[in-house]
Amino acid sequence: MTVQNADVANIFEHIADILAIENANPFRIRAYRNAARTVSSLPKPVSEMVSQHLDLTEYPGIGKDLAGKIEEIVKTGELQLLSKLEKEIPQGLARLVEIPGIGPKKAKYLYKKLNIQSLDDLERAARQGKISTLKGFTEKGESKILKEIDSFKQTDQSKRTKWVDAHEIALSLVKYMRELPDIDQIEVAGSYRRKKVTVGDLDLLVTCSSPQKVMDHFKAFDEIREVRAMGPTKATVVLKSNLQVDIRVVKKESFGAALLYFTGSKAHNIHLRKLAMERGYKINEYGMFKNQSMLASALEEDIYKKLGLSYIGPELREDMGEIEAAQKKQLPKLIETKFLRGDLHAHTDLTDGQNSLEEMAMEAKRLGLEYLAITEHSKRVAVARGLDAKLLERLIKKIDKFNETQNGFLLLKGIEVDILSDGKLDLPDSILQMLDVRVCSVHYNLNLSMEKMTERIIRAMDNPYFNILAHPTGRLINKRPAYAVDLEKVMLAAKARGCFLEINCQPHRMDLEGEHCKMAKEIGVKLAISTDSHSINQLHSLELGVAQARRGWLENSDIINTMDWKTLQGYFKRN
Ligand code: DGT
Ligand code: CA
Ligand code: CA
Ligand code: ZN
């Protein structure tokens, strides 16, 4: 499998951790951390950049030496320096620094004093009260360490794989399986097929006249780290990426029934079985039966049909009313990516993006979009070099000038303006009124009570220049939970004021999720599907947001960026 940007970043982070434990030069440590950050936000797959001989040293923090290391990782899948460093310290030691409160210095000290080489060692020593006897540690600190280990273990286990990451793995797995010509049909079912934001594992379904060949070929996939179970027609393995894969080989004539069963969700399946029973049918992974005779099994469509239902797309299969709607032939006509005409949230290298305004525009145009809103951060987000009124005014002029050179494509003048703690916006109305669109978001002071946060956002919406609430829950997948907010109240307030909410397509954000989208539709507030792009590469991710919209039953008319700019413009002028 090709080396991903995240793999390179992980190696650099790992090196930095080990160097820190070894008391290396802080500049050297920081250099690796910076490089990790740069690589993970590169505009393109680093493997492609290397094979195209692009100059990596053009990116911040990447010198000749690091560029060479990146090349080595891409070409060999590993880095000799890391293997060498790993031999210098015990394996588990680098993991200790992931426990809050244990920095590299403490990790090293614990190793020297108590020979603690792993999380398990640390836990045991803390339980035995050995840590608190050391200089610089207290009993309180010791029990805190135990608590941190506990929650670290929990989050580590509860981590589900982001859909995009699973997608990349699924594609390479299917491609590998296809090398076996005997394979007939192949499909990844489960939550992956339902396009859930995160997936627990992949459920691979294959038809082939020779299950043995399939299993032998599957076993030889070189990304497999551990085989958990292996039988004649099914197996469970764990990949090096930590993702589990379940594989099933079924008969061709049962493929539809098996696909239906293993796509789930479980709740959807249970409801279908109930319907079948009411009709005197039996339904399982092999087919739908009346007494002993098979009524349908090769195609999902046929099974739905025999149950008196129109075909239900995988994204809807959550038993959230889709079966009732299919009985009445009232399923929504779901939104598709091709109907999106523009993107309303993007950053450039003027703040924390990677590409210039011109590059972003060209890529959006190439993707067939009619408009792209440039929405830089406002000054409160100092880490991203957020704009003040003066810089924003300069950007407005630049965009106007750019648009004069265009024919049929439009850059919109926008801002991602911070919602301050008191509900005010981070820039004065006098400058906000010069813009085409204002995306508003909460980036700091996230620990408010639900009442306070809800009030903060709604108060911000009182400002007539508020158009779109960006990443409405603030969650970062596997990193930070959503802030406390009453989304229903926020949506009602948005509807009353003519504001909109965003479905953010950044793979680590992906808020709103499907059920929130459904709530928005029921309340009657329209949504924007926005990439929040920080590079040209990310402009391609509209389909991720579309998947969530589809999971939330949304149709073209529920999404504002299906409108042409002329029409949409009217909605952004609230007064
Ligand atoms: P995940 O992997 O946690 O993201 O979620 P799923 O939905 O992919 O769940 P998974 O991998 O455990 O099972 C795949 C599908 O197989 C699931 O969506 C429905 C079906 N399935 C699994 N266990 C059962 C069960 O006990 N009863 C029924 N009716 N279906 C099941
Ligand atoms: Ca699954
Ligand atoms: Ca599974
Ligand atoms: Zn933001």
Side-chain angles (χ1 to χ4, degrees):
M1 200 156 40
T2 49
V3 169
Q4 311 299 329
N5 295 13
D7 300 331
V8 178
N10 282 339
I11 289 179
F12 286 166
E13 283 288 357
H14 202 56
I15 288 180
D17 285 343
I18 296 176
L19 289 176
I21 290 169
E22 295 189 331
N23 274 338
N25 179 337
F27 290 104
R28 194 164 164 227
I29 299 168
R30 201 167 317 138
Y32 280 103
R33 299 229 192 267
N34 288 341
R37 204 168 321 130
T38 298
V39 172
S40 55
S41 62
L42 280 176
K44 283 212 245 175
V46 71
S47 54
E48 238 172 68
M49 299 176 75
V50 167
S51 66
Q52 293 169 358
H53 304 291
L54 297 181
D55 185 7
L56 292 166
T57 62
E58 279 178 13
Y59 293 91
I62 310 285
K64 262 220 171 97
D65 173 61
L66 282 165
K69 292 203 163 68
I70 293 173
E71 201 174 320
E72 183 187 337
I73 298 169
V74 167
K75 289 189 173 153
T76 68
E78 51 194 21
L79 188 63
Q80 283 190 0
L81 172 67
L82 179 60
S83 324
K84 182 174 151 270
L85 286 174
E86 275 178 333
K87 282 189 202 118
E88 290 174 9
I89 63 157
Q91 270 222 329
L93 206 53
R95 287 207 84 190
L96 288 191
V97 299
E98 292 181 47
I99 301 294
I102 306 226
K105 270 205 187 114
K106 279 194 177 157
K108 198 179 162 192
Y109 179 66
L110 288 167
Y111 171 51
K112 268 188 155 166
K113 289 280 176 190
L114 298 175
N115 194 26
I116 287 173
Q117 306 191 15
S118 66
L119 271 188
D120 287 342
D121 288 351
L122 180 65
E123 189 174 1
R124 207 172 311 122
R127 287 205 193 290
Q128 293 167 350
K130 285 187 183 163
I131 307 272
S132 55
T133 64
L134 295 178
K135 217 173 88 188
F137 288 90
T138 59
E139 272 180 32
K140 221 171 129 193
E142 191 170 56
S143 58
K144 189 165 170 282
I145 286 176
L146 280 173
K147 240 190 245 154
E148 295 288 3
I149 293 176
D150 209 41
S151 75
F152 178 81
K153 279 187 174 165
Q154 267 175 26
T155 51
D156 215 34
Q157 277 164 8
S158 67
K159 270 184 189 166
R160 294 167 55 87
T161 305
K162 286 183 280 235
W163 188 87
V164 257
D165 297 338
H167 181 51
E168 204 157 353
I169 295 165
L171 288 179
S172 68
L173 176 58
V174 168
K175 187 168 162 225
Y176 168 78
M177 291 306 288
R178 279 272 174 221
E179 288 170 12
L180 184 68
D182 304 66
I183 285 183
D184 194 11
Q185 286 142 299
I186 182 162
E187 191 90 51
V188 184
S191 53
Y192 170 78
R193 185 164 179 246
R194 304 201 309 281
K195 302 251 176 78
K196 275 194 71 157
V197 166
T198 61
V199 306
D201 68 359
L202 293 179
D203 304 280
L204 189 63
L205 210 59
V206 177
T207 64
C208 181
S209 53
S210 166
Q212 187 58 48
K213 277 191 185 165
V214 177
M215 300 314 276
D216 287 345
H217 184 64
F218 179 66
K219 240 186 335 202
F221 186 44
D222 74 354
E223 285 301 311
I224 294 178
R225 197 187 61 207
E226 180 195 340
V227 177
R228 291 231 167 115
M230 182 68 66
T233 61
K234 57 181 178 181
T236 296
V237 302
V238 182
L239 303 180
K240 287 176 188 163
S241 59
N242 273 336
L243 188 62
Q244 177 180 307
V245 180
D246 290 341
I247 184 171
R248 279 269 188 153
V249 189
V250 299
K251 292 214 170 73
K252 202 174 168 184
E253 56 267 28
S254 300
F255 186 67
L259 187 57
L260 186 63
Y261 182 90
F262 290 108
T263 296
S265 67
K266 199 169 157 180
H268 179 84
N269 288 354
I270 289 171
H271 196 154
L272 286 185
R273 266 207 304 275
K274 198 169 135 248
L275 274 194
M277 255 153 56
E278 284 164 13
R279 293 172 174 239
Y281 303 158
K282 203 182 125 195
I283 180 174
N284 58 28
E285 62 219 87
Y286 303 104
M288 188 157 78
F289 306 88
K290 178 156 189 160
N291 301 322
Q292 296 307 323
S293 69
M294 175 112 81
L295 299 176
S297 67
L299 293 173
E300 283 186 324
E301 283 84 348
D302 293 346
I303 298 172
Y304 281 116
K305 207 167 162 187
K306 282 270 180 326
L307 290 172
L309 305 173
S310 37
Y311 177 76
I312 301 173
E315 299 101 320
L316 294 181
R317 300 183 195 170
E318 300 291 346
D319 197 22
M320 298 277 283
E322 73 278 8
I323 292 175
E324 291 82 352
Q327 279 174 323
K328 292 184 246 162
K329 312 271 178 245
Q330 280 174 358
L331 284 173
K333 190 174 177 326
L334 299 178
I335 167 107
E336 291 172 55
T337 310
K338 65 178 183 202
F339 293 114
L340 296 180
R341 291 170 182 263
D343 187 348
L344 294 165
H345 188 167
H347 301 266
T348 75
D349 57 9
L350 183 60
T351 62
D352 61 346
Q354 298 278 337
N355 291 98
S356 69
L357 180 143
E358 291 81 6
E359 286 165 340
M360 294 295 280
M362 286 311 119
E363 187 66 2
K365 204 165 140 176
R366 202 178 66 77
L367 289 171
L369 297 181
E370 295 167 16
Y371 51 88
L372 172 70
I374 300 297
T375 55
E376 302 287 21
H377 290 287
S378 63
K379 60 186 194 299
R380 180 62 181 71
V381 193
V383 286
R385 287 177 286 154
L387 306 184
D388 60 16
K390 213 163 142 194
L391 286 169
L392 180 54
E393 211 170 331
R394 214 181 292 167
L395 176 61
I396 290 173
K397 289 200 181 112
K398 188 173 170 187
I399 293 176
D400 278 335
K401 229 186 214 146
F402 175 86
N403 281 334
E404 280 168 23
T405 68
Q406 295 299 302
N407 183 4
F409 177 82
L410 200 61
L411 274 188
L412 303 182
K413 292 165 280 188
I415 187 78
E416 178 177 5
V417 59
D418 249 59
I419 299 173
L420 304 178
S421 289
D422 59 3
K424 290 208 179 76
L425 299 179
D426 189 28
L427 287 167
D429 289 359
S430 56
I431 183 97
L432 293 178
Q433 58 122 17
M434 297 166 73
L435 299 166
D436 297 316
V437 55
R438 307 100 195 155
V439 171
C440 308
S441 55
V442 172
H443 281 123
Y444 74 104
N445 209 354
L446 306 178
N447 290 325
L448 299 180
S449 68
M450 184 183 278
E451 282 87 15
K452 287 244 165 70
M453 185 60 91
T454 307
E455 195 189 311
R456 173 183 182 182
I457 293 172
I458 293 177
R459 192 172 292 167
M461 285 180 176
D462 286 336
N463 184 315
Y465 297 108
F466 190 120
N467 295 132
I468 301 171
L469 177 63
H471 41 77
T473 77
R475 68 97 176 259
L476 302 176
I477 295 173
N478 289 338
K479 284 226 172 86
R480 185 175 79 199
Y483 44 68
V485 62
D486 186 335
L487 268 183
E488 189 178 355
K489 269 195 191 145
V490 167
M491 287 181 185
L492 286 165
K495 183 179 154 69
R497 288 163 183 74
C499 303
F500 309 98
L501 276 72
E502 173 185 272
I503 303 171
N504 189 293
C505 302
Q506 287 284 311
H508 61 290
R509 289 192 178 274
M510 296 294 280
D511 53 349
L512 306 168
E513 277 202 43
E515 66 244 50
H516 303 137
C517 294
K518 198 152 184 260
M519 181 159 91
K521 183 167 184 153
E522 277 149 22
I523 287 172
V525 60
K526 288 185 199 295
L527 305 178
I529 297 177
S530 302
T531 62
D532 191 1
S533 284
H534 287 69
S535 69
I536 52 174
N537 209 29
Q538 295 175 355
L539 285 167
H540 299 230
S541 53
L542 279 170
E543 64 173 316
L544 296 181
V546 169
Q548 297 320 303
R550 290 170 66 90
R551 285 175 56 77
W553 298 48
L554 301 193
E555 305 178 277
N556 286 350
S557 58
D558 300 313
I559 300 297
I560 56 175
N561 43 322
T562 56
M563 291 188 248
D564 61 37
W565 172 240
K566 249 190 145 161
T567 316
L568 182 54
Q569 199 171 21
Y571 286 84
F572 289 160
K573 290 186 181 140
R574 285 172 51 191
N575 47 354

